[in-house]
Amino acid sequence: MNDTRITVKVFATLQLKLGVREIAYTGPPVTMEELIAWLQRWAVAHGNETDVTAELLEPDRSIRPGTMLLIDGKNVHHREGLKTPVDGSVVSVFPPSGGG
């Protein structure tokens, strides 16, 4: 099986916390949920203490309100949510924005 190549683009506060705009994933095919877990491992491996999972997901593992996870510009909310397969794509990750 060939490796999948995914460009993960991070925005807003997550970009500031991770210190990068893009991260390249190369590996077996993954779902959005698995890609978020990989992003968490990437952060730890690069000495970053950001809890990526908590930034994007609720404790029950659902997508946090206000989070946008796009695959090639299409929101996973309109597909299979966290179970949406991600393959050879550009993933854009927008954490919830604060305000008030």
Coordinates of all heavy atoms in Angstrom, one line a residue:
M1 N 0.8 -1.2 0.0 CA 0.0 0.0 0.0 C 0.9 1.2 0.0 O 1.9 1.3 0.7 CB -0.9 0.0 1.2 CG -1.8 1.2 1.3 SD -2.8 1.3 2.8 CE -3.9 -0.1 2.5
N2 N 0.5 2.2 -0.8 CA 1.3 3.5 -0.9 C 1.0 4.4 0.3 O -0.1 4.4 0.8 CB 1.0 4.2 -2.2 CG 1.5 3.5 -3.4 OD1 2.5 2.7 -3.3 ND2 0.9 3.7 -4.5
D3 N 2.0 5.1 0.7 CA 1.7 6.1 1.8 C 0.9 7.3 1.3 O 0.9 7.6 0.1 CB 3.1 6.7 2.2 CG 3.8 5.8 3.2 OD1 3.2 4.9 3.8 OD2 5.0 6.1 3.4
T4 N 0.1 7.8 2.2 CA -0.7 8.9 1.9 C 0.0 10.2 2.3 O 0.8 10.2 3.3 CB -2.0 8.9 2.8 OG1 -2.8 7.7 2.4 CG2 -2.9 10.1 2.6
R5 N -0.1 11.2 1.5 CA 0.5 12.5 1.8 C -0.6 13.5 2.0 O -1.4 13.7 1.2 CB 1.4 12.9 0.6 CG 2.6 12.0 0.4 CD 3.4 12.5 -0.8 NE 4.4 11.5 -1.2 CZ 5.5 11.3 -0.6 NH1 5.9 12.0 0.5 NH2 6.4 10.3 -1.0
I6 N -0.5 14.2 3.2 CA -1.5 15.2 3.6 C -0.8 16.4 4.1 O 0.2 16.3 4.8 CB -2.4 14.6 4.8 CG1 -3.1 13.3 4.3 CG2 -3.4 15.7 5.2 CD1 -3.7 12.6 5.5
T7 N -1.2 17.5 3.6 CA -0.7 18.8 4.1 C -1.7 19.3 5.1 O -2.9 19.5 4.8 CB -0.6 19.9 3.0 OG1 0.3 19.4 2.0 CG2 -0.1 21.2 3.5
V8 N -1.3 19.5 6.4 CA -2.1 20.0 7.5 C -1.8 21.4 7.7 O -0.6 21.8 8.0 CB -1.9 19.2 8.8 CG1 -2.8 19.7 9.9 CG2 -2.1 17.7 8.5
K9 N -2.8 22.3 7.4 CA -2.6 23.7 7.7 C -3.3 24.1 8.9 O -4.5 23.8 9.1 CB -3.2 24.5 6.5 CG -2.4 24.3 5.2 CD -3.0 25.1 4.1 CE -2.2 24.9 2.8 NZ -2.7 25.9 1.8
V10 N -2.6 24.8 9.8 CA -3.2 25.2 11.1 C -3.3 26.7 11.1 O -2.5 27.4 10.6 CB -2.4 24.6 12.3 CG1 -2.5 23.1 12.4 CG2 -1.0 25.1 12.3
F11 N -4.4 27.1 11.8 CA -4.7 28.6 11.8 C -5.0 29.1 13.2 O -5.1 28.3 14.1 CB -6.0 28.8 10.9 CG -5.8 28.5 9.5 CD1 -6.0 27.2 9.0 CD2 -5.3 29.5 8.6 CE1 -5.8 26.9 7.6 CE2 -5.1 29.2 7.2 CZ -5.3 27.9 6.8
A12 N -5.0 30.4 13.3 CA -5.4 31.1 14.5 C -4.5 30.7 15.7 O -3.3 30.6 15.5 CB -6.9 30.9 14.8
T13 N -5.2 30.6 16.8 CA -4.4 30.3 18.1 C -3.6 29.0 18.0 O -2.5 28.9 18.6 CB -5.3 30.3 19.3 OG1 -6.4 29.3 19.0 CG2 -6.0 31.6 19.5
L14 N -4.1 28.0 17.3 CA -3.4 26.8 17.2 C -2.0 27.0 16.4 O -1.0 26.4 16.8 CB -4.2 25.7 16.5 CG -3.6 24.3 16.6 CD1 -3.4 23.8 18.0 CD2 -4.6 23.3 15.9
Q15 N -2.1 27.8 15.4 CA -0.8 28.1 14.7 C 0.2 28.8 15.6 O 1.4 28.5 15.6 CB -1.2 29.1 13.5 CG 0.0 29.4 12.6 CD -0.4 30.4 11.5 OE1 0.0 31.5 11.6 NE2 -1.0 29.9 10.5
L16 N -0.3 29.7 16.4 CA 0.6 30.4 17.3 C 1.1 29.5 18.4 O 2.3 29.5 18.7 CB -0.2 31.6 18.1 CG -0.7 32.7 17.2 CD1 -1.6 33.7 18.0 CD2 0.5 33.4 16.6
K17 N 0.3 28.6 18.9 CA 0.8 27.6 19.9 C 1.8 26.6 19.4 O 2.7 26.2 20.0 CB -0.4 26.9 20.6 CG -1.2 27.9 21.4 CD -2.5 27.2 22.0 CE -3.2 28.2 22.9 NZ -4.4 27.5 23.5
L18 N 1.5 26.1 18.1 CA 2.4 25.1 17.6 C 3.6 25.7 16.9 O 4.6 25.1 16.7 CB 1.7 24.3 16.5 CG 0.6 23.4 17.1 CD1 -0.1 22.6 16.0 CD2 1.1 22.4 18.1
G19 N 3.5 27.0 16.5 CA 4.7 27.7 15.9 C 4.9 27.3 14.4 O 6.0 27.6 13.9
V20 N 3.9 26.8 13.8 CA 4.0 26.4 12.4 C 2.7 26.7 11.7 O 1.6 26.8 12.3 CB 4.4 24.9 12.2 CG1 5.7 24.6 12.7 CG2 3.3 24.0 12.8
R21 N 2.8 26.9 10.4 CA 1.6 27.1 9.5 C 1.1 25.8 8.9 O 0.0 25.6 8.6 CB 1.8 28.1 8.5 CG 2.0 29.5 9.0 CD 2.2 30.5 8.0 NE 2.5 31.8 8.6 CZ 2.6 32.9 7.9 NH1 2.4 32.9 6.6 NH2 2.8 34.0 8.5
E22 N 2.1 25.0 8.5 CA 1.8 23.7 7.8 C 2.7 22.6 8.3 O 3.8 22.8 8.7 CB 2.2 23.8 6.3 CG 1.3 24.7 5.5 CD 1.6 24.6 4.0 OE1 2.4 23.8 3.6 OE2 0.9 25.4 3.3
I23 N 2.1 21.4 8.3 CA 2.8 20.2 8.7 C 2.5 19.1 7.7 O 1.3 19.0 7.3 CB 2.3 19.7 10.1 CG1 2.5 20.9 11.2 CG2 3.1 18.5 10.6 CD1 1.7 20.6 12.4
A24 N 3.5 18.4 7.3 CA 3.3 17.4 6.3 C 3.2 16.0 7.0 O 4.0 15.6 7.8 CB 4.5 17.3 5.3
Y25 N 2.1 15.3 6.6 CA 1.9 14.0 7.1 C 2.1 13.0 6.0 O 1.6 13.2 4.9 CB 0.5 13.8 7.6 CG 0.1 12.3 7.9 CD1 0.3 11.7 9.1 CD2 -0.5 11.6 6.9 CE1 0.0 10.4 9.3 CE2 -0.8 10.2 7.1 CZ -0.5 9.6 8.3 OH -0.8 8.3 8.5
T26 N 3.0 12.0 6.2 CA 3.1 10.9 5.2 C 3.0 9.6 6.0 O 3.7 9.4 7.0 CB 4.5 11.0 4.6 OG1 4.6 12.3 3.9 CG2 4.7 9.9 3.5
G27 N 2.1 8.8 5.6 CA 1.9 7.5 6.3 C 0.7 6.8 5.7 O 0.2 7.1 4.7
P28 N 0.2 5.8 6.5 CA -1.0 5.1 6.0 C -2.2 6.0 6.0 O -2.2 7.0 6.7 CB -1.1 4.0 7.1 CG -0.4 4.5 8.3 CD 0.7 5.4 7.8
P29 N -3.2 5.6 5.3 CA -4.5 6.3 5.2 C -5.0 6.5 6.7 O -4.9 5.6 7.5 CB -5.4 5.5 4.4 CG -4.5 4.7 3.5 CD -3.3 4.4 4.4
V30 N -5.6 7.6 6.9 CA -6.1 7.9 8.2 C -7.5 8.6 8.1 O -7.9 9.1 7.1 CB -5.2 8.9 9.0 CG1 -3.9 8.2 9.4 CG2 -4.9 10.2 8.3
T31 N -8.2 8.5 9.3 CA -9.5 9.3 9.4 C -9.1 10.7 10.0 O -8.0 10.8 10.5 CB -10.4 8.6 10.3 OG1 -9.9 8.5 11.7 CG2 -10.8 7.2 9.8
M32 N -10.0 11.6 10.1 CA -9.8 12.9 10.7 C -9.4 12.7 12.2 O -8.5 13.3 12.7 CB -11.0 13.8 10.6 CG -10.8 15.2 11.2 SD -9.4 16.1 10.5 CE -10.1 16.6 8.9
E33 N -10.1 11.8 12.9 CA -9.7 11.5 14.3 C -8.3 11.0 14.4 O -7.6 11.5 15.3 CB -10.7 10.5 14.8 CG -10.6 10.2 16.3 CD -11.7 9.3 16.8 OE1 -12.2 8.5 16.0 OE2 -12.0 9.4 18.0
E34 N -7.9 10.1 13.6 CA -6.5 9.6 13.6 C -5.5 10.7 13.3 O -4.4 10.7 13.8 CB -6.3 8.4 12.7 CG -7.1 7.2 13.1 CD -7.3 6.1 12.0 OE1 -7.2 6.5 10.8 OE2 -7.5 5.0 12.4
L35 N -5.9 11.6 12.4 CA -5.0 12.7 12.0 C -4.8 13.7 13.2 O -3.7 14.1 13.4 CB -5.5 13.4 10.8 CG -4.5 14.5 10.2 CD1 -3.2 13.8 9.7 CD2 -5.2 15.3 9.1
I36 N -5.8 13.9 13.9 CA -5.7 14.8 15.1 C -4.8 14.1 16.2 O -4.0 14.7 16.8 CB -7.1 15.1 15.7 CG1 -7.9 16.0 14.8 CG2 -7.0 15.7 17.1 CD1 -9.3 16.2 15.1
A37 N -5.0 12.8 16.3 CA -4.1 12.0 17.3 C -2.6 12.1 16.8 O -1.7 12.3 17.6 CB -4.5 10.6 17.4
W38 N -2.4 12.0 15.5 CA -1.1 12.2 14.9 C -0.5 13.6 15.2 O 0.6 13.7 15.6 CB -1.0 11.9 13.4 CG 0.3 12.2 12.8 CD1 1.4 11.3 12.8 CD2 0.6 13.4 12.2 NE1 2.4 12.0 12.2 CE2 2.0 13.2 11.8 CE3 0.0 14.6 11.9 CZ2 2.7 14.2 11.1 CZ3 0.7 15.6 11.2 CH2 2.0 15.4 10.8
L39 N -1.4 14.6 15.0 CA -1.0 16.0 15.2 C -0.6 16.2 16.7 O 0.4 16.9 17.0 CB -2.1 16.9 14.8 CG -1.8 18.4 14.7 CD1 -0.7 18.7 13.7 CD2 -3.1 19.1 14.3
Q40 N -1.3 15.5 17.6 CA -0.9 15.6 19.0 C 0.5 15.0 19.2 O 1.3 15.5 19.9 CB -1.9 14.9 19.9 CG -1.6 14.8 21.4 CD -1.6 16.2 22.0 OE1 -2.6 16.9 21.9 NE2 -0.5 16.7 22.5
R41 N 0.7 13.8 18.6 CA 2.0 13.1 18.8 C 3.1 14.0 18.1 O 4.2 14.1 18.7 CB 2.0 11.7 18.1 CG 1.1 10.7 18.9 CD 1.3 9.3 18.4 NE 1.0 9.1 17.0 CZ -0.1 8.9 16.4 NH1 -1.2 8.9 17.2 NH2 -0.3 8.7 15.1
W42 N 2.8 14.6 17.0 CA 3.8 15.5 16.3 C 4.2 16.6 17.3 O 5.4 16.9 17.4 CB 3.2 16.1 15.1 CG 4.1 17.0 14.3 CD1 5.0 16.6 13.3 CD2 4.3 18.4 14.5 NE1 5.7 17.7 12.9 CE2 5.3 18.8 13.7 CE3 3.7 19.3 15.4 CZ2 5.8 20.1 13.6 CZ3 4.2 20.6 15.4 CH2 5.2 21.0 14.5
A43 N 3.2 17.2 17.9 CA 3.5 18.3 18.9 C 4.4 17.9 20.0 O 5.4 18.5 20.3 CB 2.2 18.9 19.4
V44 N 4.1 16.8 20.6 CA 4.9 16.2 21.7 C 6.3 15.9 21.2 O 7.3 16.3 21.8 CB 4.3 15.0 22.3 CG1 5.2 14.3 23.3 CG2 3.0 15.3 23.0
A45 N 6.4 15.3 20.0 CA 7.8 15.0 19.5 C 8.6 16.2 19.2 O 9.8 16.1 19.1 CB 7.6 14.1 18.2
H46 N 8.0 17.3 19.0 CA 8.7 18.6 18.7 C 8.8 19.5 19.9 O 9.0 20.7 19.8 CB 8.0 19.3 17.5 CG 8.3 18.6 16.2 ND1 7.5 17.5 15.8 CD2 9.2 18.8 15.3 CE1 8.0 17.1 14.6 NE2 9.0 17.9 14.3
G47 N 8.6 18.9 21.1 CA 8.8 19.6 22.3 C 7.7 20.6 22.6 O 7.9 21.5 23.4
N48 N 6.5 20.5 22.0 CA 5.5 21.4 22.2 C 4.5 20.9 23.2 O 4.0 19.7 23.1 CB 4.8 21.7 20.9 CG 3.9 22.9 21.0 OD1 2.9 22.9 21.7 ND2 4.2 23.9 20.2
E49 N 4.1 21.7 24.2 CA 3.2 21.2 25.3 C 1.7 21.4 25.0 O 0.9 21.1 25.8 CB 3.5 21.9 26.6 CG 4.9 21.5 27.1 CD 5.3 22.2 28.4 OE1 4.4 22.8 29.0 OE2 6.5 22.2 28.7
T50 N 1.4 21.9 23.8 CA 0.0 22.2 23.4 C -0.8 20.9 23.4 O -0.4 19.9 22.8 CB 0.0 22.9 22.0 OG1 0.7 24.1 22.1 CG2 -1.5 23.2 21.6
D51 N -1.9 20.9 24.1 CA -2.8 19.8 24.0 C -3.7 20.0 22.8 O -4.8 20.5 22.9 CB -3.6 19.7 25.3 CG -4.4 18.4 25.4 OD1 -4.6 17.7 24.4 OD2 -4.9 18.1 26.6
V52 N -3.3 19.5 21.7 CA -4.0 19.7 20.4 C -5.4 19.0 20.5 O -6.4 19.6 20.1 CB -3.2 19.1 19.2 CG1 -4.0 19.1 18.0 CG2 -1.9 19.8 19.1
T53 N -5.4 17.9 21.1 CA -6.7 17.2 21.2 C -7.7 18.0 22.0 O -8.9 18.2 21.6 CB -6.5 15.8 21.9 OG1 -5.5 15.1 21.2 CG2 -7.8 15.0 22.0
A54 N -7.3 18.6 23.1 CA -8.2 19.4 23.9 C -8.6 20.7 23.2 O -9.7 21.2 23.4 CB -7.6 19.7 25.3
E55 N -7.7 21.2 22.4 CA -8.0 22.4 21.6 C -9.2 22.1 20.6 O -9.9 23.0 20.3 CB -6.8 22.8 20.8 CG -5.6 23.4 21.6 CD -5.8 24.8 22.0 OE1 -6.4 25.6 21.3 OE2 -5.3 25.1 23.1
L56 N -9.2 20.9 20.1 CA -10.1 20.6 19.0 C -11.3 19.8 19.3 O -12.4 19.8 18.7 CB -9.4 20.0 17.8 CG -8.2 20.7 17.3 CD1 -7.4 19.9 16.2 CD2 -8.6 22.1 16.7
L57 N -11.2 18.9 20.4 CA -12.2 18.0 20.7 C -12.7 18.2 22.2 O -11.9 18.6 23.0 CB -11.7 16.5 20.6 CG -11.1 16.1 19.2 CD1 -10.6 14.7 19.2 CD2 -12.2 16.3 18.1
E58 N -14.0 17.8 22.4 CA -14.6 17.8 23.7 C -14.1 16.6 24.4 O -13.6 15.6 23.8 CB -16.1 17.8 23.6 CG -16.7 19.0 23.0 CD -16.7 20.2 23.9 OE1 -16.3 20.1 25.1 OE2 -17.1 21.3 23.5
P59 N -14.2 16.5 25.8 CA -13.8 15.3 26.5 C -14.5 14.0 26.0 O -13.9 12.9 26.1 CB -14.3 15.6 28.0 CG -14.2 17.1 28.0 CD -14.7 17.6 26.7
D60 N -15.7 14.1 25.4 CA -16.4 12.9 24.9 C -15.9 12.6 23.5 O -16.5 11.7 22.9 CB -17.9 13.1 25.0 CG -18.4 14.2 24.0 OD1 -17.6 14.8 23.2 OD2 -19.7 14.4 23.9
R61 N -14.9 13.3 23.0 CA -14.3 13.0 21.7 C -15.1 13.5 20.5 O -14.9 13.2 19.4 CB -13.9 11.6 21.5 CG -13.1 10.9 22.6 CD -11.8 11.5 22.8 NE -10.9 11.1 21.8 CZ -9.6 11.6 21.7 NH1 -9.2 12.4 22.6 NH2 -8.8 11.2 20.7
S62 N -16.1 14.4 20.8 CA -16.8 15.1 19.7 C -16.0 16.4 19.4 O -15.2 16.8 20.1 CB -18.2 15.4 20.1 OG -18.2 16.3 21.2
I63 N -16.3 16.9 18.2 CA -15.7 18.1 17.8 C -16.2 19.3 18.6 O -17.4 19.5 18.8 CB -16.0 18.4 16.3 CG1 -15.4 17.2 15.4 CG2 -15.3 19.7 15.8 CD1 -15.8 17.3 14.0
R64 N -15.3 20.1 19.1 CA -15.6 21.3 20.0 C -16.4 22.2 19.1 O -16.1 22.5 17.9 CB -14.4 22.0 20.5 CG -13.8 21.3 21.6 CD -12.6 22.1 22.2 NE -13.2 23.3 22.9 CZ -12.5 24.3 23.2 NH1 -11.2 24.3 23.0 NH2 -13.0 25.4 23.8
P65 N -17.5 22.8 19.7 CA -18.2 23.9 19.0 C -17.3 25.0 18.5 O -16.4 25.4 19.3 CB -19.2 24.4 20.0 CG -19.4 23.2 21.0 CD -18.0 22.6 21.0
G66 N -17.4 25.4 17.3 CA -16.6 26.5 16.8 C -15.4 26.0 16.1 O -14.7 26.8 15.4
T67 N -15.0 24.7 16.2 CA -13.9 24.1 15.5 C -14.3 23.9 14.1 O -15.4 23.3 13.8 CB -13.4 22.8 16.2 OG1 -13.0 23.1 17.5 CG2 -12.3 22.2 15.4
M68 N -13.4 24.2 13.1 CA -13.7 23.8 11.7 C -12.5 22.9 11.3 O -11.4 23.3 11.4 CB -13.7 25.1 10.8 CG -15.0 25.8 10.9 SD -15.4 27.0 9.6 CE -13.8 27.7 9.3
L69 N -12.9 21.8 10.8 CA -12.0 20.8 10.2 C -12.4 20.6 8.7 O -13.4 20.1 8.5 CB -12.0 19.5 11.0 CG -11.8 19.6 12.5 CD1 -12.1 18.3 13.2 CD2 -10.3 20.0 12.7
L70 N -11.5 21.1 7.8 CA -11.8 21.1 6.4 C -10.9 20.1 5.7 O -9.7 20.2 5.9 CB -11.7 22.5 5.8 CG -12.5 23.6 6.5 CD1 -12.2 24.9 5.8 CD2 -14.0 23.3 6.6
I71 N -11.5 19.3 4.8 CA -10.7 18.5 3.9 C -10.9 19.0 2.5 O -12.0 19.0 2.0 CB -11.1 17.0 4.0 CG1 -10.9 16.5 5.4 CG2 -10.3 16.2 3.0 CD1 -11.4 15.1 5.7
D72 N -9.9 19.5 1.9 CA -10.0 20.2 0.6 C -11.1 21.2 0.6 O -11.9 21.2 -0.4 CB -10.1 19.1 -0.5 CG -8.9 18.3 -0.7 OD1 -7.8 18.8 -0.4 OD2 -9.0 17.1 -1.1
G73 N -11.3 22.0 1.6 CA -12.3 23.0 1.7 C -13.6 22.6 2.1 O -14.5 23.4 2.2
K74 N -13.8 21.3 2.4 CA -15.2 20.8 2.7 C -15.2 20.4 4.2 O -14.3 19.6 4.7 CB -15.5 19.6 1.9 CG -15.7 20.0 0.4 CD -16.2 18.8 -0.4 CE -16.4 19.4 -1.8 NZ -15.7 18.7 -2.8
N75 N -16.1 20.9 5.0 CA -16.2 20.7 6.4 C -16.6 19.2 6.7 O -17.5 18.7 6.1 CB -17.3 21.6 7.0 CG -17.2 21.8 8.5 OD1 -16.9 20.8 9.2 ND2 -17.4 23.0 8.9
V76 N -15.9 18.6 7.6 CA -16.1 17.2 8.0 C -17.5 17.1 8.6 O -18.1 16.0 8.7 CB -15.1 16.6 8.9 CG1 -13.7 16.6 8.1 CG2 -15.0 17.3 10.2
H77 N -18.1 18.2 9.2 CA -19.4 18.1 9.7 C -20.4 17.7 8.7 O -21.5 17.1 9.0 CB -19.9 19.5 10.3 CG -19.3 19.8 11.6 ND1 -19.7 19.1 12.8 CD2 -18.4 20.7 12.0 CE1 -19.0 19.6 13.8 NE2 -18.2 20.6 13.3
H78 N -20.2 18.0 7.4 CA -21.1 17.6 6.3 C -20.7 16.3 5.7 O -21.3 15.9 4.7 CB -21.1 18.7 5.3 CG -21.4 20.1 5.8 ND1 -22.6 20.4 6.4 CD2 -20.7 21.2 6.0 CE1 -22.6 21.6 6.8 NE2 -21.4 22.1 6.6
R79 N -19.8 15.6 6.3 CA -19.4 14.3 5.8 C -19.6 13.3 6.9 O -20.7 13.1 7.4 CB -17.9 14.3 5.2 CG -17.9 15.3 4.0 CD -16.5 15.4 3.5 NE -16.1 14.2 2.8 CZ -14.8 13.9 2.5 NH1 -13.9 14.8 2.6 NH2 -14.5 12.8 1.9
E80 N -18.5 12.6 7.3 CA -18.6 11.6 8.4 C -18.0 12.0 9.7 O -17.6 11.2 10.5 CB -17.9 10.3 7.9 CG -18.5 9.7 6.6 CD -17.7 8.5 6.1 OE1 -17.5 7.6 6.9 OE2 -17.3 8.6 5.0
G81 N -17.9 13.4 9.9 CA -17.3 13.9 11.1 C -15.9 13.4 11.3 O -15.1 13.4 10.4
L82 N -15.6 13.0 12.5 CA -14.2 12.5 12.8 C -13.9 11.2 12.1 O -12.7 10.9 12.0 CB -14.0 12.4 14.3 CG -14.1 13.7 15.1 CD1 -14.0 13.4 16.6 CD2 -12.9 14.6 14.7
K83 N -14.8 10.5 11.6 CA -14.6 9.2 10.9 C -14.3 9.4 9.4 O -14.1 8.5 8.7 CB -15.8 8.3 11.1 CG -16.1 7.9 12.5 CD -14.9 7.2 13.2 CE -15.3 6.9 14.6 NZ -14.1 6.6 15.4
T84 N -14.4 10.7 9.0 CA -14.1 11.0 7.6 C -12.7 10.6 7.2 O -11.7 11.0 7.8 CB -14.3 12.5 7.3 OG1 -15.6 12.9 7.7 CG2 -14.1 12.8 5.8
P85 N -12.6 9.8 6.1 CA -11.2 9.4 5.6 C -10.5 10.6 5.1 O -11.1 11.5 4.4 CB -11.5 8.4 4.5 CG -12.9 8.0 4.6 CD -13.6 9.1 5.4
V86 N -9.2 10.7 5.3 CA -8.4 11.8 4.8 C -7.3 11.2 4.0 O -6.5 10.4 4.5 CB -7.7 12.6 6.0 CG1 -7.0 13.8 5.4 CG2 -8.8 13.1 7.0
D87 N -7.3 11.5 2.7 CA -6.3 10.8 1.8 C -5.8 11.8 0.8 O -6.6 12.4 0.0 CB -6.8 9.5 1.2 CG -8.1 9.8 0.4 OD1 -8.7 10.9 0.5 OD2 -8.6 8.8 -0.2
G88 N -4.5 12.0 0.7 CA -3.9 12.8 -0.3 C -4.5 14.2 -0.4 O -4.8 14.7 -1.5
S89 N -4.8 14.8 0.7 CA -5.6 16.0 0.8 C -4.9 17.1 1.5 O -3.8 17.0 2.0 CB -6.9 15.8 1.5 OG -7.6 14.7 1.0
V90 N -5.5 18.3 1.4 CA -5.1 19.4 2.3 C -6.2 19.5 3.4 O -7.3 19.7 3.1 CB -5.0 20.7 1.5 CG1 -4.7 21.9 2.4 CG2 -4.0 20.6 0.4
V91 N -5.7 19.5 4.6 CA -6.6 19.6 5.8 C -6.3 20.9 6.4 O -5.2 21.3 6.7 CB -6.3 18.5 6.8 CG1 -7.1 18.7 8.1 CG2 -6.7 17.1 6.2
S92 N -7.4 21.7 6.6 CA -7.3 23.0 7.3 C -7.9 22.9 8.7 O -9.1 22.4 8.8 CB -8.0 24.1 6.5 OG -7.4 24.2 5.2
V93 N -7.2 23.3 9.7 CA -7.7 23.1 11.1 C -7.8 24.5 11.7 O -6.8 25.2 11.8 CB -6.7 22.3 11.9 CG1 -7.1 22.2 13.3 CG2 -6.5 20.9 11.2
F94 N -9.0 24.9 12.0 CA -9.4 26.1 12.7 C -9.9 25.8 14.1 O -11.0 25.3 14.2 CB -10.4 26.9 11.9 CG -10.0 27.4 10.5 CD1 -10.1 26.5 9.4 CD2 -9.5 28.6 10.3 CE1 -9.8 26.9 8.2 CE2 -9.1 29.1 9.1 CZ -9.2 28.2 8.0
P95 N -9.1 26.2 15.1 CA -9.7 25.9 16.5 C -10.8 26.9 16.8 O -10.9 27.9 16.0 CB -8.5 26.2 17.4 CG -7.6 27.2 16.6 CD -7.8 26.8 15.1
P96 N -11.6 26.7 17.8 CA -12.6 27.7 18.1 C -12.0 29.0 18.5 O -10.9 29.0 19.0 CB -13.3 27.1 19.4 CG -12.7 25.7 19.6 CD -11.5 25.6 18.7
S97 N -12.6 30.1 18.1 CA -12.1 31.4 18.4 C -12.8 31.9 19.6 O -14.0 31.7 19.8 CB -12.2 32.3 17.2 OG -13.5 32.5 16.9
G98 N -12.1 32.6 20.5 CA -12.7 33.1 21.7 C -13.2 34.6 21.4 O -12.9 35.1 20.4
G99 N -13.9 35.1 22.3 CA -14.3 36.4 22.2 C -15.3 36.7 23.3 O -15.7 35.9 24.1
G100 N -15.8 38.0 23.2 CA -16.8 38.3 24.2 C -16.6 39.6 24.9 O -15.7 40.3 24.7

